[in-house]
Coordinates of all heavy atoms in Angstrom, one line a residue:
M260 N 7.2 2.8 13.1 CA 6.5 3.6 12.0 C 5.5 2.7 11.3 O 5.7 1.6 11.0 CB 7.5 4.2 11.1 CG 8.0 5.5 11.5 SD 8.9 6.4 10.2 CE 10.5 5.5 10.4
P261 N 4.4 3.3 10.9 CA 3.4 2.5 10.1 C 3.8 2.2 8.7 O 4.6 3.0 8.1 CB 2.1 3.4 10.1 CG 2.6 4.8 10.3 CD 3.9 4.6 11.1
M262 N 3.4 1.1 8.2 CA 3.7 0.8 6.7 C 2.4 1.0 6.0 O 1.3 0.8 6.4 CB 4.0 -0.7 6.7 CG 5.3 -1.0 7.3 SD 5.6 -2.8 7.3 CE 5.9 -3.1 5.6
Y263 N 2.6 1.6 4.8 CA 1.5 1.9 3.9 C 1.7 1.1 2.6 O 2.8 1.1 2.1 CB 1.4 3.4 3.6 CG 1.2 4.2 4.8 CD1 2.2 4.8 5.5 CD2 -0.1 4.4 5.3 CE1 2.0 5.6 6.6 CE2 -0.4 5.1 6.5 CZ 0.7 5.7 7.1 OH 0.5 6.5 8.2
E264 N 0.6 0.5 2.2 CA 0.7 -0.2 0.9 C 0.0 0.6 -0.2 O -1.1 1.1 0.1 CB 0.0 -1.6 1.2 CG 0.5 -2.6 0.2 CD 0.2 -4.0 0.7 OE1 -0.7 -4.2 1.4 OE2 0.9 -5.0 0.2
Y265 N 0.7 0.6 -1.3 CA 0.0 1.4 -2.4 C -0.1 0.5 -3.6 O 0.6 -0.4 -3.8 CB 1.1 2.5 -2.8 CG 1.2 3.6 -1.8 CD1 2.2 3.5 -0.8 CD2 0.5 4.7 -1.9 CE1 2.3 4.5 0.2 CE2 0.6 5.8 -1.0 CZ 1.5 5.6 0.1 OH 1.6 6.6 1.0
L266 N -1.1 0.8 -4.4 CA -1.4 0.2 -5.7 C -1.3 1.2 -6.8 O -1.8 2.3 -6.7 CB -2.8 -0.4 -5.6 CG -3.3 -1.0 -6.9 CD1 -2.5 -2.2 -7.4 CD2 -4.8 -1.4 -6.9
C267 N -0.5 0.9 -7.7 CA -0.3 1.7 -8.9 C -1.4 1.5 -9.9 O -1.7 0.4 -10.3 CB 1.1 1.4 -9.6 SG 1.4 2.3 -11.1
N268 N -2.0 2.6 -10.2 CA -3.1 2.5 -11.2 C -2.6 2.4 -12.6 O -3.4 2.0 -13.5 CB -4.0 3.8 -11.1 CG -4.8 3.8 -9.8 OD1 -5.3 2.8 -9.4 ND2 -4.9 5.0 -9.2
E269 N -1.4 2.6 -12.8 CA -0.8 2.5 -14.2 C -0.4 1.1 -14.6 O -0.8 0.6 -15.6 CB 0.5 3.4 -14.4 CG 0.2 4.8 -14.6 CD -0.5 5.1 -15.9 OE1 -0.1 4.5 -16.9 OE2 -1.5 5.9 -15.9
C270 N 0.4 0.5 -13.7 CA 0.9 -0.8 -14.0 C 0.4 -2.0 -13.1 O 0.8 -3.0 -13.3 CB 2.5 -0.8 -14.1 SG 3.2 -0.6 -12.4
G271 N -0.3 -1.5 -12.0 CA -0.8 -2.5 -11.1 C 0.1 -3.0 -10.1 O -0.2 -3.9 -9.4
A272 N 1.3 -2.4 -10.0 CA 2.3 -2.8 -9.0 C 1.8 -2.5 -7.6 O 1.2 -1.4 -7.4 CB 3.6 -2.2 -9.3
V273 N 2.1 -3.3 -6.7 CA 1.8 -3.0 -5.3 C 3.1 -2.8 -4.6 O 4.1 -3.7 -4.8 CB 1.0 -4.2 -4.6 CG1 0.9 -3.9 -3.1 CG2 -0.4 -4.3 -5.3
F274 N 3.3 -1.8 -3.9 CA 4.5 -1.5 -3.1 C 4.2 -0.9 -1.7 O 3.1 -0.4 -1.5 CB 5.4 -0.6 -3.9 CG 4.8 0.8 -4.3 CD1 5.2 1.9 -3.6 CD2 4.0 0.8 -5.4 CE1 4.7 3.1 -3.9 CE2 3.4 2.1 -5.7 CZ 3.8 3.2 -4.9
T275 N 5.2 -1.1 -0.9 CA 5.0 -0.7 0.5 C 6.0 0.3 0.9 O 7.1 0.3 0.6 CB 5.2 -2.0 1.4 OG1 4.3 -3.0 1.0 CG2 4.9 -1.7 2.9
E276 N 5.5 1.3 1.6 CA 6.4 2.4 2.1 C 6.2 2.4 3.6 O 5.1 2.4 4.1 CB 6.1 3.7 1.4 CG 6.2 3.7 0.0 CD 7.7 3.7 -0.5 OE1 8.5 4.0 0.3 OE2 7.9 3.3 -1.7
I277 N 7.3 2.7 4.3 CA 7.2 3.0 5.7 C 7.4 4.4 5.9 O 8.5 5.0 5.6 CB 8.3 2.2 6.5 CG1 8.1 0.7 6.2 CG2 8.2 2.5 8.0 CD1 9.2 -0.1 6.8
L278 N 6.3 5.1 6.3 CA 6.3 6.6 6.4 C 5.7 7.0 7.7 O 4.8 6.4 8.2 CB 5.5 7.2 5.2 CG 6.0 6.9 3.8 CD1 4.9 7.3 2.8 CD2 7.3 7.6 3.5
T279 N 6.1 8.2 8.1 CA 5.4 8.8 9.1 C 4.1 9.5 8.5 O 4.1 9.6 7.3 CB 6.2 9.9 9.8 OG1 6.5 10.9 8.9 CG2 7.4 9.4 10.4
V280 N 3.2 9.8 9.3 CA 2.0 10.4 8.8 C 2.3 11.8 8.1 O 1.8 12.1 7.0 CB 0.9 10.7 9.9 CG1 -0.3 11.4 9.4 CG2 0.5 9.4 10.5
A281 N 3.2 12.5 8.7 CA 3.6 13.8 8.1 C 4.2 13.6 6.7 O 4.0 14.4 5.7 CB 4.6 14.6 9.0
E282 N 5.1 12.6 6.6 CA 5.8 12.3 5.3 C 4.8 11.9 4.3 O 4.8 12.4 3.2 CB 6.8 11.2 5.5 CG 8.1 11.6 6.1 CD 9.1 10.5 6.2 OE1 8.7 9.4 6.7 OE2 10.2 10.7 5.8
M283 N 3.9 11.1 4.7 CA 2.8 10.6 3.8 C 2.0 11.6 3.2 O 1.6 11.6 2.1 CB 2.0 9.6 4.5 CG 1.0 8.9 3.7 SD -0.2 8.0 4.7 CE -1.2 9.4 5.3
E284 N 1.7 12.7 4.1 CA 0.8 13.7 3.6 C 1.5 14.8 2.7 O 0.8 15.4 1.9 CB 0.1 14.4 4.8 CG -0.9 13.5 5.4 CD -1.6 14.2 6.6 OE1 -1.3 15.3 6.9 OE2 -2.7 13.5 7.1
K285 N 2.8 14.9 2.9 CA 3.4 16.0 2.1 C 4.0 15.5 0.8 O 4.3 16.2 -0.1 CB 4.5 16.7 2.9 CG 5.8 16.0 3.2 CD 6.7 16.9 4.0 CE 7.8 16.1 4.5 NZ 8.6 16.9 5.5
R286 N 4.2 14.2 0.7 CA 4.7 13.7 -0.6 C 4.0 12.5 -1.1 O 3.6 11.7 -0.3 CB 6.2 13.4 -0.6 CG 6.6 12.5 0.5 CD 8.0 12.1 0.3 NE 8.7 11.9 1.6 CZ 9.6 10.9 1.8 NH1 9.9 10.1 0.9 NH2 10.2 10.8 2.9
K287 N 3.8 12.4 -2.4 CA 3.0 11.3 -2.9 C 4.1 10.4 -3.5 O 4.9 10.8 -4.3 CB 2.0 11.8 -4.0 CG 1.1 10.8 -4.4 CD -0.2 11.4 -4.9 CE -1.3 10.3 -5.0 NZ -2.5 10.9 -5.6
M288 N 3.9 9.2 -3.1 CA 5.0 8.2 -3.5 C 4.7 7.8 -4.9 O 3.7 7.3 -5.3 CB 5.0 7.0 -2.6 CG 5.1 7.3 -1.1 SD 6.6 8.2 -0.7 CE 7.8 7.1 -1.2
P289 N 5.8 7.9 -5.8 CA 5.6 7.4 -7.1 C 5.8 5.9 -7.2 O 6.5 5.4 -6.3 CB 6.8 8.1 -7.9 CG 7.8 8.4 -6.9 CD 7.1 8.5 -5.6
C290 N 5.3 5.3 -8.2 CA 5.4 3.9 -8.4 C 6.9 3.6 -8.6 O 7.5 4.2 -9.5 CB 4.6 3.4 -9.5 SG 4.9 1.7 -10.0
P291 N 7.5 2.6 -8.0 CA 8.9 2.3 -8.2 C 9.2 1.6 -9.5 O 10.3 1.5 -10.0 CB 9.3 1.4 -7.0 CG 7.9 0.8 -6.6 CD 6.9 1.8 -6.9
K292 N 8.1 1.1 -10.2 CA 8.3 0.4 -11.4 C 8.1 1.3 -12.6 O 9.0 1.4 -13.5 CB 7.2 -0.7 -11.5 CG 7.6 -2.0 -10.8 CD 6.7 -3.1 -11.3 CE 7.1 -4.4 -10.6 NZ 6.2 -5.5 -11.0
C293 N 7.1 2.1 -12.6 CA 6.8 2.9 -13.8 C 6.9 4.4 -13.5 O 6.7 5.2 -14.4 CB 5.5 2.6 -14.5 SG 4.1 3.0 -13.5
K294 N 7.2 4.8 -12.3 CA 7.4 6.2 -11.8 C 6.1 7.0 -11.9 O 6.1 8.1 -11.8 CB 8.5 6.8 -12.6 CG 9.8 6.1 -12.7 CD 10.4 5.9 -11.4 CE 11.8 5.1 -11.5 NZ 12.2 4.6 -10.2
S295 N 5.0 6.3 -12.1 CA 3.7 7.0 -12.2 C 3.3 7.5 -10.8 O 3.6 6.8 -9.7 CB 2.6 6.1 -12.7 OG 1.4 6.7 -12.6
K296 N 2.8 8.7 -10.7 CA 2.3 9.2 -9.4 C 0.7 8.9 -9.2 O 0.1 9.3 -8.3 CB 2.5 10.7 -9.3 CG 4.0 11.0 -9.1 CD 4.2 12.4 -8.5 CE 5.6 12.7 -8.0 NZ 6.4 12.8 -9.2
D297 N 0.2 8.1 -10.2 CA -1.1 7.7 -10.1 C -1.3 6.4 -9.3 O -1.5 5.4 -9.8 CB -1.7 7.5 -11.6 CG -3.2 7.3 -11.5 OD1 -3.9 7.6 -10.5 OD2 -3.7 6.8 -12.6
V298 N -1.0 6.7 -8.0 CA -1.1 5.5 -7.1 C -2.1 5.8 -6.1 O -2.5 6.9 -5.7 CB 0.3 5.2 -6.5 CG1 1.3 4.9 -7.4 CG2 0.7 6.5 -5.5
K299 N -2.7 4.7 -5.5 CA -3.7 4.8 -4.4 C -3.2 4.0 -3.2 O -2.6 3.0 -3.4 CB -5.0 4.5 -4.9 CG -5.3 3.0 -5.2 CD -6.8 2.8 -5.5 CE -7.0 1.3 -5.8 NZ -8.4 1.1 -6.2
R300 N -3.5 4.6 -2.0 CA -3.1 3.8 -0.9 C -4.2 2.7 -0.6 O -5.3 3.0 -0.6 CB -3.0 4.8 0.3 CG -2.4 4.2 1.6 CD -1.8 5.3 2.4 NE -2.7 6.4 2.7 CZ -3.4 6.4 3.9 NH1 -3.2 5.6 4.8 NH2 -4.2 7.4 4.1
I301 N -3.6 1.6 -0.2 CA -4.5 0.6 0.1 C -4.7 0.6 1.7 O -3.8 0.3 2.4 CB -4.0 -0.8 -0.3 CG1 -3.7 -0.8 -1.8 CG2 -4.9 -2.0 0.1 CD1 -2.9 -2.0 -2.2
V302 N -5.9 1.0 2.1 CA -6.1 1.2 3.5 C -6.6 -0.1 4.1 O -6.6 -0.2 5.4 CB -7.1 2.4 3.8 CG1 -6.4 3.7 3.5 CG2 -8.3 2.3 3.0
S303 N -7.1 -0.9 3.4 CA -7.8 -2.1 4.0 C -6.8 -3.2 4.4 O -7.1 -4.1 5.2 CB -8.8 -2.8 2.9 OG -8.1 -3.1 1.8
H304 N -5.6 -3.0 4.0 CA -4.6 -4.0 4.3 C -3.5 -3.4 5.1 O -2.5 -2.9 4.7 CB -4.0 -4.6 3.0 CG -3.2 -5.8 3.1 ND1 -3.7 -7.1 3.2 CD2 -1.9 -5.9 3.4 CE1 -2.7 -8.0 3.4 NE2 -1.6 -7.3 3.5
I305 N -3.7 -3.4 6.4 CA -2.8 -2.8 7.3 C -1.9 -3.9 8.0 O -2.5 -4.8 8.5 CB -3.5 -1.9 8.4 CG1 -4.2 -0.8 7.7 CG2 -2.5 -1.4 9.4 CD1 -5.2 0.0 8.6
H306 N -0.7 -3.6 7.9 CA 0.3 -4.6 8.6 C 0.3 -4.4 10.1 O 0.6 -3.2 10.5 CB 1.6 -4.4 8.0 CG 1.8 -4.7 6.6 ND1 2.2 -5.9 6.1 CD2 1.4 -4.0 5.4 CE1 2.2 -5.9 4.8 NE2 1.7 -4.8 4.4
T307 N 0.0 -5.3 10.8 CA 0.1 -5.2 12.2 C 1.2 -6.1 12.7 O 1.3 -7.3 12.3 CB -1.2 -5.5 12.9 OG1 -1.7 -6.7 12.4 CG2 -2.3 -4.4 12.7
I308 N 2.0 -5.6 13.4 CA 3.2 -6.4 13.9 C 2.8 -7.0 15.3 O 2.6 -6.3 16.3 CB 4.4 -5.5 14.1 CG1 4.8 -4.9 12.7 CG2 5.6 -6.4 14.7 CD1 5.8 -3.8 12.8
T309 N 2.6 -8.3 15.3 CA 2.3 -9.0 16.5 C 3.5 -9.9 17.0 O 4.0 -10.6 16.1 CB 1.0 -9.8 16.4 OG1 1.3 -10.7 15.2 CG2 -0.2 -8.9 16.2
T310 N 3.9 -9.7 18.1 CA 5.0 -10.5 18.6 C 4.4 -11.6 19.5 O 4.0 -11.3 20.6 CB 6.0 -9.6 19.4 OG1 5.3 -8.8 20.3 CG2 6.8 -8.7 18.4
K311 N 4.4 -12.7 18.9 CA 4.0 -13.9 19.8 C 5.1 -14.8 20.1 O 5.7 -15.4 19.2 CB 2.9 -14.7 18.9 CG 1.5 -14.0 19.0 CD 0.6 -14.9 18.3 CE -0.9 -14.3 18.3 NZ -1.8 -15.1 17.6
K312 N 5.4 -14.8 21.3 CA 6.5 -15.7 21.8 C 5.9 -16.6 22.8 O 5.5 -16.2 23.8 CB 7.7 -14.9 22.3 CG 8.5 -14.2 21.3 CD 9.7 -13.4 21.9 CE 10.5 -12.7 20.8 NZ 11.5 -11.9 21.3
S313 N 6.0 -17.8 22.4 CA 5.5 -18.8 23.3 C 6.5 -19.3 24.4 O 7.7 -19.2 24.1 CB 4.9 -20.1 22.5 OG 5.9 -20.6 21.7
Ligands
ZN1589 ZN1 3.4 1.6 -11.8

């Protein structure tokens, strides 16, 4: 599942959620620190899992 990173506009906290696309679209994740729903998704920072085994 993809990981989404969010930035809280209230307190500036950055938090990560692992959600399916359907989950992400139907619910807006509140900030875990201040419970604000004024959060934005950080799309520029996508976690890619690379398995490098030498
Ligand atoms: Zn917050």
